[in-house]
Each structure stands twice: as C-alpha cells, then as structure tokens.
Amino acid sequence: MITRRIGAAAFTLVLAAGLAACGSDDGGGDDGASGGAGGESIKVGIKFDQPGLGLKEGNTYTGFDVDVANYVAKELGKTDVQFVQAPSKQREDLIATGQVDLIFATYSITDERKQKVSFAGPYFIAGQDLLVAADSTIKGPKDLDGKKLCSVTGSTSADNVKKEVPGVNLQEFDTYSKCAEAVSKGQLDALTTDDTILAGYAAQPQYKGKLKVVGAPFSEERYGVGLKKGDTALCEDVNKALTKMVEDGAWDKAVEDNFGPAGFKVDAKTNPPKLDACS
Amino acid sequence: MNELFQQFDVWGAFWLTIKLAAFSLVGAMVIGTIVAIMRVSPVAMFRFVGAAYVNIIRNTPLTLILTFTIFVMLYDLGINLADENSPTSIADNGVRWAIVGLAVYHAAFVCEAIRSGINTVPPGQAEAARSLGLGFSQNLRHVVLPQALRGAIAPLASVTIALIKNTTVAAAIGVAETAALMSSALELRADLNYLTFALVAGFFLLVTLPIGIGLTSLSRRMAVKR
C-alpha cells in the first residue's frame, strides 16, 4: 500500500514536471511563431548553455554571441530579437525549416555545412585549446601522451584531437560540464574544445583558481553567422553590420565584457577577422 | 553512403552496439532471475530486498545510472574494470561499466517479466508439488520455473528489444557505439543527416525485428498448453 502511494506521488510529480516543461516550451514556441513574418522582429538561434558565449539565465541572455547578435539585429532594423535555443546538431535544420533567421552559436564555417546553409562573417576566430588544473604542467597537445583527455561525444573537438594526438586516451561525455567537473577533481587531466568555451568554464565561480586555459590553440574555428542557403542579400547586410561593429568599437567592447573576466587573451593576429565574401 | 563508411568506423560502432547488448543481456538475465526468485521466496527479507531493487532501479533514469557508474564507481570509489596504465583504459572502462549499468538496469525489467511468467503457473501446480514433499527450491527448479520461463518469453522479448535500443544511452559516457557514431556524423557531416538517420534506423530495425519475430513465434511454440 505504501509503495503504491509513493508510486502515485512520484507519478504525479513526474507528470507535473513534464507539464511544466511543456508549458515553458510552448511559451517560447508561441512567441517565436507570432513574430515570424513581421519585419520588426527576428529570430536568432544561440546556445543557451555556454557561459561567455550564449547563456540563458531566467529571461536574460548573456555572452559574446548574444552581444553580436543584438548589434547585428539592431543594424538590420529589427527592434524585437527573439532568442531560440540552437543545439549544435540542430543548427542546419533550424535554418532550413525557417525556425530561426540567423544563428550565432559557436558555428564554425566548414565546407560540409556550406552545403546546407550560407554563412556571413566570420565574426570571431577561436581555436581549439586545453583546459587543465591550475597546477598542471601540460603546455600543449604534445604533452598529452599518456594523459587522460575529455571532450563531448561526437563533437568537432573530439574528432580534431583524435587526429592531432593519435591514440589519445579520450573520455567523452554528453556535456562539457561533466568534463570540467572531472578535470577539476583531478580524475582527468585536460578538457579540450574551443578556447572561448573553455574560458567560460575557467571563469565560473566554482572553478575559479582551480582551472586554467593553456593558451596554445591548435586549430582554427571561424565562427560564422548561419543563414538560409543562398540568401546573399541578408548575408551582405549582416557583413555590413559586422564591419560597422568592429569599426565603432562595439566589437572590442563585447570581447572585453565577455572574455575579459575569464582572463582570456584574444589572438590579435587573427581577430577581428576578415569577412568572407557572400555566396 | 560510401562517404559515411569511409569517414566513420560504422561497422565498429554497430559491432560495439551488438556486443554491449549481448553482454548486458546475459548479465540482466542472471541478475533478473535471482531477483525474481527473491521476490517469490518465502523469506520476507528476500522479498523486501527484491522489491526494493526493482522499484529503485526501474524508476531511475538509465542516463543517471550510467553516469553514476563513471562518476561514483570509477572516479570516487576507484573501481577500475580495466588496466589503469593501458592507453585505452578510458574506453575499456567505459564499455565495461556501460555493460554493468545496462545489466543492472534491465535486470529489474527481466525480474518483472519472469515474475509475470511465474504468475501464469496455476497455484495448484505449486501446491501439488509441495504436497509431494518438494521443498521451495525443488519446487521452483522442477515445477514452477520451467513453466514460468516459457510463459515469460514474450515479455522477455520486449525487454530484449528495449535493451538493444537503450544501449544508445551509453554514448553519454563516451562509449563509441551507434549513437555516438550518429552524433559524430551529424556534427561533422550535416550535409548527410538524412542518410545518417536512415542508416542508424535501418541498423536497429535489422537487429530488433528478427529478434521480435523469432521470440514471438518461439513463445507460441513453447507455450504450456493448458
């Protein structure tokens, strides 16, 4: 009887949680749909879970991607920016199906992706780097021999590091937070992905002073603005906005605001980047 | 299609999925049978432990169990299932702990399937066996379980198919099986995403359909005619 009652209670809880989740999702979806065709509003895909780049806390959005997106939207004459979550593996489909107009979500420009979407930008050049314990002796990928490395299952970073350090002892988790946790406890030696993302973790209160970014990038990730394939007019407009953003100093300010607290030094040789031609 | 096979270790991932499923199924059958026996045993303590196992494990998300194996069993308690100094220690530990996690999780469902099989045996059978002087374990071994297992084939088929599909959760702890392959392929070759979906879905259908059909017809042939 007791088990049955506990079971019923648990079931109710799960139902309630499920309904609550639906409710918030629906809210977001409705907002997006109502503003869809209007000229004043724009739907922008960002990451919701990456501190320093795109982070959703309550109803506020922070991060470098968010700042650039807001600036570009303003330049495009849009007064109402609606942010939509754009997880890595859904980005192409979100654009292709028109669920978002632009994507600012650590979206590296690659030839494979260009077959499905077009890119404006790049607006930032990041590099794959390592996040290690503050007292670690690891200086770069060549020190990784015999070390335990962590990244996210099926990510570009995981694929890169397998090529860079063949036979690396690599743990893959479904989120970077799990990797950061394991590295901070000393169970793994390093976490690898884009330096921008790593800087966000190094700056989080619980890891401050415990983790550091090595600062020896071994790849080039060119963050572009994803948009509908073949929409060169929109691409030109976005590029114009990005150029203006660099010229009037707003770009520098966004970098300083978002990466400054993490002590992350932006590579001035490659940044701010030259824009690609729209095609 | 060829591009996918060239760029990714598709066969390796498929084979790992099959290995994960096979080993954890064996583990789940062994643990599940033991728990089922505990749940019908005359000792109240055993019944309590069996019921607690089923209710706790069955209602815990599999992702949580698999994450628990790595973060608590491996990292915090230091229980290594692979040679710590080998260059592939992480991958080996991942696969072995995934098998343990999958086996422990599905054992709860196997237990309930077998118990449902036991419920198909008319109580008169057990009573008759007892009146012949058979003890609990003799009764179970010679009278109840042989009939119960035949009755449990159909529900066990469902558990098996669920287990095969649930192996995909192991991607969360970095096991390079089919879901991890799909994840990589979607990330790196977004241009081939429909093909990737079709390939993975086709693989799972190919594995689970014959098992479903085979076990269903087996359950019909093996059914105890009453």
Side-chain angles (χ1 to χ4, degrees):
Chain A
M1 201 54 212
I2 290 172
T3 40
R4 211 178 278 172
R5 240 179 250 159
I6 294 173
F11 185 65
T12 321
L13 262 181
V14 170
L15 258 186
L19 284 177
C22 282
S24 61
D25 276 1
D26 283 345
D30 287 344
D31 287 354
S34 62
E40 297 305 305
S41 76
I42 188 166
K43 284 169 290 173
V44 177
I46 57 164
K47 292 276 176 72
F48 275 13
D49 55 355
Q50 285 186 343
L53 289 159
L55 185 67
K56 181 183 183 189
E57 283 172 310
N59 279 326
T60 58
Y61 302 91
T62 55
F64 182 69
D65 283 344
V66 174
D67 289 351
V68 179
N70 276 327
Y71 188 95
V72 169
K74 198 178 78 207
E75 287 300 308
L76 293 176
K78 312 287 183 186
T79 48
D80 178 24
V81 184
Q82 286 158 1
F83 289 112
V84 178
Q85 186 169 21
S88 291
K89 287 167 188 70
Q90 292 171 23
R91 291 177 297 202
E92 288 79 17
D93 281 339
L94 283 174
I95 292 179
T97 56
Q99 292 178 65
V100 299
D101 301 307
L102 295 173
I103 283 193
F104 292 78
T106 65
Y107 203 5
S108 303
I109 302 176
T110 66
D111 289 338
E112 286 84 8
R113 287 171 182 161
K114 276 187 192 163
Q115 296 185 22
K116 286 246 162 156
V117 299
S118 290
F119 286 101
Y123 60 91
F124 194 83
I125 298 203
Q128 189 170 347
D129 210 329
L130 300 167
L131 184 74
V132 295
D135 55 358
S136 171
T137 54
I138 296 173
K139 296 260 184 319
K142 60 180 188 310
D143 298 332
L144 289 176
D145 216 27
K147 295 279 196 270
K148 289 177 180 166
L149 195 58
C150 193
S151 198
V152 159
T153 311
S155 64
T156 312
S157 315
D159 189 64
N160 272 348
V161 82
K162 282 179 203 159
K163 285 178 193 149
E164 190 79 21
V165 192
V168 64
N169 208 355
L170 180 68
Q171 172 72 58
E172 292 174 77
F173 284 127
D174 49 350
T175 60
Y176 289 115
S177 336
K178 285 191 184 132
C179 284
E181 185 63 25
V183 172
S184 78
K185 282 186 178 168
Q187 285 139 348
L188 299 172
D189 297 306
L191 156 58
T192 183
T193 185
D194 299 357
D195 45 12
T196 46
I197 298 171
L198 296 179
Y201 283 106
Q204 282 197 316
Q206 70 266 40
Y207 299 134
K208 213 149 198 182
K210 285 194 205 160
L211 298 177
K212 66 172 183 196
V213 181
V214 167
F218 52 95
S219 81
E220 196 174 71
E221 304 299 331
R222 309 168 71 245
Y223 290 170
V225 184
L227 44 89
K228 200 161 193 106
K229 187 165 168 58
D231 194 345
T232 43
L234 181 58
C235 174
E236 300 283 0
D237 287 346
V238 172
N239 274 354
K240 221 175 284 166
L242 290 174
T243 312
K244 189 172 170 207
M245 188 177 182
V246 172
E247 278 166 2
D248 73 7
W251 188 90
D252 284 317
K253 188 175 175 302
V255 167
E256 184 50 40
D257 284 353
N258 293 297
F259 300 137
F264 169 53
K265 297 273 178 296
V266 173
D267 190 349
K269 262 179 280 174
T270 50
N271 282 303
K274 249 197 224 87
L275 303 178
D276 291 351
C278 291
S279 59
Chain B
M1 182 74 98
N2 277 333
E3 283 174 281
L4 277 179
F5 281 88
Q6 275 159 16
Q7 192 170 351
F8 304 100
D9 185 11
V10 179
W11 296 119
F14 285 173
W15 178 230
L16 189 54
T17 293
I18 291 171
K19 276 199 288 189
L20 274 180
F23 285 119
S24 45
L25 182 63
V26 172
M29 288 296 290
V30 173
I31 305 172
T33 310
I34 294 171
V35 179
I37 292 172
M38 285 173 86
R39 288 205 72 174
V40 297
S41 87
V43 185
M45 192 61 207
F46 281 176
R47 282 202 304 271
F48 174 76
V49 171
Y53 179 95
V54 168
N55 285 314
I56 292 171
I57 300 289
R58 192 173 53 175
N59 295 309
T60 308
L62 181 55
T63 324
L64 198 70
I65 291 179
L66 291 184
T67 309
F68 179 88
T69 61
I70 295 295
F71 272 86
V72 178
M73 304 304 278
L74 177 61
Y75 288 168
D76 289 344
L77 300 178
I79 305 172
N80 258 298
L81 295 186
D83 177 13
E84 206 177 348
N85 298 318
S86 98
T88 57
S89 66
I90 289 179
D92 295 346
N93 258 317
V95 172
R96 289 169 198 176
W97 274 115
I99 290 172
V100 172
L102 285 166
V104 166
Y105 179 74
H106 290 93
F109 296 90
V110 168
C111 162
E112 291 303 273
I114 291 177
R115 212 159 63 95
S116 79
I118 290 175
N119 287 337
T120 65
V121 182
Q125 298 261 341
E127 283 161 10
R130 204 183 310 161
S131 67
L132 284 175
L134 299 184
F136 171 72
S137 53
Q138 286 171 316
N139 194 337
L140 212 57
R141 214 179 113 201
H142 299 294
V143 180
V144 177
L145 270 190
Q147 298 183 67
L149 285 176
R150 287 163 166 232
I153 291 175
L156 281 176
S158 307
V159 174
T160 307
I161 289 170
L163 184 148
I164 291 170
K165 292 189 289 183
N166 282 344
T167 56
T168 50
V169 178
I173 56 169
V175 178
E177 43 69 65
T178 310
L181 166 95
M182 187 174 85
S183 203
S184 291
L186 289 181
E187 170 84 13
L188 300 171
R189 293 306 302 266
D191 50 322
L192 300 176
N193 56 358
Y194 295 123
L195 192 63
T196 309
F197 280 132
L199 185 69
V200 171
F203 165 73
F204 277 104
L205 275 183
L206 214 63
V207 176
T208 53
L209 267 186
I211 288 178
I213 295 169
L215 285 179
T216 307
S217 81
L218 184 72
S219 81
R220 233 178 264 130
R221 265 187 293 139
M222 299 288 281
V224 183
K225 300 286 187 294
R226 293 197 175 97

